[in-house]
Amino acid sequence: MKRMLLASVALLAATPALAQDKFPPAPPIADPKPFKLPATETYTLPNGLQVTLIPYGIAPKTVVSLRVRAGAVNEGDAVWLSEVTGALMKEGAAGKTASDLAAAAAGMGGQLNVSAGMQSTTVSTNVLSEYAPDAIQLLSDVAVRPTLPASELARVKANLGRQLSVALSQPGTLADVALGRTVYGTSHPYGRIIPSAAQLQGYTIDQVKAFHAGQFGAKRARLYVAGRFDTATVKAAIEKAFAGWQAGPDPVVLQSPHQPGPKIVLVDRPGAPQATLRLAFDASRAGTDADIPQRVTNALLGGAFSSRITTNIREDKGYTYSPYSDVEFTPEQALWGFQADVTTEHTGDSLHEVFKEIRRMQTEPVPAEEAKGIRTYMAGLFAISNSTSGSVVGTLATRDILGLPGDWTERYVPAVLAVTPEQMQASANASYPLGKLILVVVGDLKTVVPQLKAQPELANVPMTTVTVP
């Protein structure tokens, strides 16, 4: 046994030399190539509907997605009215019942999806390529000629009411609501995230029909067709299905001033084992000179799984499972945000480490290898995240609603790879001014507040306790 063990040790000791003799060093990994779409075509119908055709992939499938800029920003005080309208649009259209619509989509190899978001309502499906013209007609029926049956309104509101109840039981929802109200104010759409249960149940079918009639129109819409399809046949189907759609109103143009910090907003959850954190700063708009450097800087600070904050408070300290930071863009503004659920007793410790990582980004140049690693990660992730027709549609729809140039997807990877450590340090100083922070904490305040007051960055920041909703 002893001889066998010694022989094994000798073999292990010799292995690296053998490997080095037999195999040459691995070549350096080249920078990711720029992401390049096949030639796309964009045109506009006389009524204002914009169309983008994207030949993509080899699978015989076609994504058809209609984005109508009629979402939460168009609701006024009627929060979630766009959600109610979107749900009712699936309940019947152009003489077809909900079952008819679902069966039609299934017969094409797909399913009908309708979702309402902050900026727009999306009607989409992913079908076998031979059914692309039929899918275009189906989406036209749902978006332009929905029945909006009064008989289904109570059920739709009940379903949304259950979703609202579940959301309000989650500390993350409470934190998001408090953050929205703090940054934008309760009179702004971005500050009105959820309705009250009574408000939701009070919506009438007349309100739903008025919202659809007043907010949906061709000038607010863009149709994306991506995948494998016959261009001539698809164009003819689009003309037939959408040429008669009324132009409707222009898209809403918002102003979104941010309420200034520093501020700490507290929501009490007595006995909560975790504290939910939201930290926010103003960010640069998409497409500005500061945009790409701030994205790369954010990825290294907290936006990637290997980020500095994640490594610190998740891997090394064990204070949290899923810290994350990101820049949230809308057409007229942007907001950087960090979020985490941390153990209550380490709320102050977690924030101390986050602030430490921010200051390190601001005062110490990022080592060249670390900077290269995060750039390569972001560039490679962009290609992977655009590997399907549906994901490409999502990227282009985001590009278009943010008003970015048509070649933005081709310029993104080279721009990321060009960001220098010096630009990252400058971006950190511009993007994370600790003296102007907005912090939301949802948790057991009797335990959390003393920890906050013990942090030098927070000691003199005004604290306000609020209730949500």
Side-chain angles (χ1 to χ4, degrees), residues 175-186:
D176 291 338
V177 170
L179 179 63
R181 292 174 180 175
T182 302
V183 174
Y184 303 104
T186 56

Side-chain angles (χ1 to χ4, degrees), residues 344-414:
T344 298
E345 63 269 26
H346 290 300
T347 303
D349 297 330
S350 299
L351 288 168
H352 172 77
E353 296 301 325
V354 171
F355 296 149
K356 184 176 77 174
E357 296 299 347
I358 288 175
R359 286 194 299 271
R360 183 156 72 104
M361 290 284 291
Q362 294 171 336
T363 58
E364 300 177 13
V366 177
E369 283 303 308
E370 189 179 20
K372 181 179 180 180
I374 199 65
R375 292 193 305 259
T376 303
Y377 164 79
M378 290 184 65
L381 183 64
F382 189 74
I384 294 172
S385 62
N386 285 288
S387 59
T388 67
S389 297
S391 59
V392 166
V393 166
T395 294
L396 297 189
T398 299
R399 176 201 68 184
D400 296 336
I401 205 164
L402 294 179
L404 297 171
D407 64 347
W408 185 84
T409 52
E410 285 74 26
R411 289 163 47 188
Y412 176 83
V413 168

Side-chain angles (χ1 to χ4, degrees), residues 275-451:
T276 297
L277 308 178
R278 298 289 187 269
L279 177 66
F281 298 103
D282 295 354
S284 298
R285 288 179 57 189
T288 62
D289 290 343
D291 178 17
I292 298 300
Q294 82 177 344
R295 295 186 195 224
V296 177
T297 304
N298 166 73
L300 181 57
L301 178 64
F305 186 76
S306 59
S307 71
R308 290 179 172 185
I309 289 177
T310 301
T311 300
N312 185 328
I313 65 173
R314 182 188 191 275
E315 301 300 319
D316 295 345
K317 306 294 192 308
Y319 296 156
T320 179
Y321 182 75
S322 55
Y324 182 68
S325 68
D326 198 8
V327 184
E328 182 176 327
F329 298 100
T330 66
E332 75 292 343
Q333 59 91 53
L335 189 72
W336 180 89
F338 165 77
Q339 62 182 49
D341 293 292
V342 302
T343 52
T344 298
E345 63 269 26
H346 290 300
T347 303
D349 297 330
S350 299
L351 288 168
H352 172 77
E353 296 301 325
V354 171
F355 296 149
K356 184 176 77 174
E357 296 299 347
I358 288 175
R359 286 194 299 271
R360 183 156 72 104
M361 290 284 291
Q362 294 171 336
T363 58
E364 300 177 13
V366 177
E369 283 303 308
E370 189 179 20
K372 181 179 180 180
I374 199 65
R375 292 193 305 259
T376 303
Y377 164 79
M378 290 184 65
L381 183 64
F382 189 74
I384 294 172
S385 62
N386 285 288
S387 59
T388 67
S389 297
S391 59
V392 166
V393 166
T395 294
L396 297 189
T398 299
R399 176 201 68 184
D400 296 336
I401 205 164
L402 294 179
L404 297 171
D407 64 347
W408 185 84
T409 52
E410 285 74 26
R411 289 163 47 188
Y412 176 83
V413 168
V416 164
L417 294 176
V419 174
T420 66
E422 293 76 17
Q423 286 177 299
M424 296 172 68
Q425 186 174 357
S427 179
N429 278 286
S431 301
Y432 318 126
L434 292 175
K436 297 181 180 180
L437 63 76
I438 290 180
L439 174 67
V440 173
V441 183
V442 179
D444 184 358
L445 296 188
K446 71 178 185 299
T447 305
V448 166
V449 169
Q451 298 179 57

